[in-house]
Amino acid sequence: MLRKVLINCMINPLTAILQLRNGELLERKHAKILFDELFLEISNAFPEMQESLPKDAIEEVCRKTALNQSSMLKDRLNGNSMEIETIVTAVIKMAEKKGTPLPILKTLEKILFVLDGDDCS
C-alpha cells in the first residue's frame, strides 16, 4: 500500500500542477528535473522502500501510462476536489513522524491547495 501511495505522490502532484500527462513528466526537460528532485526527496525520506521503488520503476509507470491523465489532473480539469490530503498530506505526515522533512512535496501540497480553491482564510 505504501508503495502505491508513494508512486502516486511522485506522479500526481506534478501532473496536476503542470497539467501534463504521465509520460510528459519524462519528456519535458524541466518537468523531468522536478520529477527527479521529488523522487530523490521521497526516496531519501523512505529508505526502507528504496529497493522496491527504484527510480526506473517509477519511470516505467510513467511510460506504461504515458497517455493517461493522473486522477489529480482529471479532478483538477473537471473542477472536482483533488485527493491532496489522502495522497500528498498523508505522505508528508508519515515522513514528519520519522523526522524527515519533505520541502518540495510540502511546496507542491500548498500549490495544490491553492489550485483546489482551498486558499480562503
Side-chain angles (χ1 to χ4, degrees):
M1 186 68 146
L2 179 59
R3 184 178 193 276
K4 182 178 168 90
V5 171
L6 293 179
I7 291 170
N8 284 333
C9 212
M10 291 178 205
I11 296 172
N12 287 10
L14 292 175
T15 59
I17 292 167
L18 301 173
Q19 293 189 16
L20 298 175
R21 294 184 182 273
N22 295 357
E24 290 179 290
L25 291 178
L26 305 179
E27 297 166 1
R28 296 197 178 197
K29 178 183 176 184
H30 291 96
K32 178 69 164 84
I33 292 168
L34 287 169
F35 174 84
D36 291 345
E37 290 174 354
L38 183 58
F39 170 81
L40 186 60
E41 178 177 278
I42 292 173
S43 181
N44 287 335
F46 297 91
E48 70 277 13
M49 298 299 295
Q50 288 178 0
E51 268 187 52
S52 64
L53 269 180
K55 187 172 173 196
D56 59 341
I58 310 299
E59 290 176 346
E60 185 61 22
V61 170
C62 288
R63 279 191 285 279
K64 284 184 177 180
T65 62
L67 299 178
N68 293 4
Q69 292 178 334
S70 71
S71 59
M72 271 190 187
L73 177 55
K74 285 180 187 176
D75 287 339
R76 179 176 178 203
L77 295 175
N78 291 324
N80 299 324
S81 184
M82 293 181 275
E83 309 165 293
I84 303 164
E85 290 181 2
T86 56
I87 296 174
V88 179
T89 306
V91 169
I92 291 169
K93 286 180 180 179
M94 282 188 275
E96 285 176 346
K97 282 183 183 176
K98 298 167 62 166
T100 309
L102 295 172
I104 296 170
L105 191 59
K106 284 187 88 158
T107 299
L108 297 177
E109 176 194 41
K110 289 175 184 73
I111 294 168
L112 288 167
F113 277 127
V114 170
L115 294 172
D116 207 37
D118 192 16
D119 194 40
C120 304
S121 48

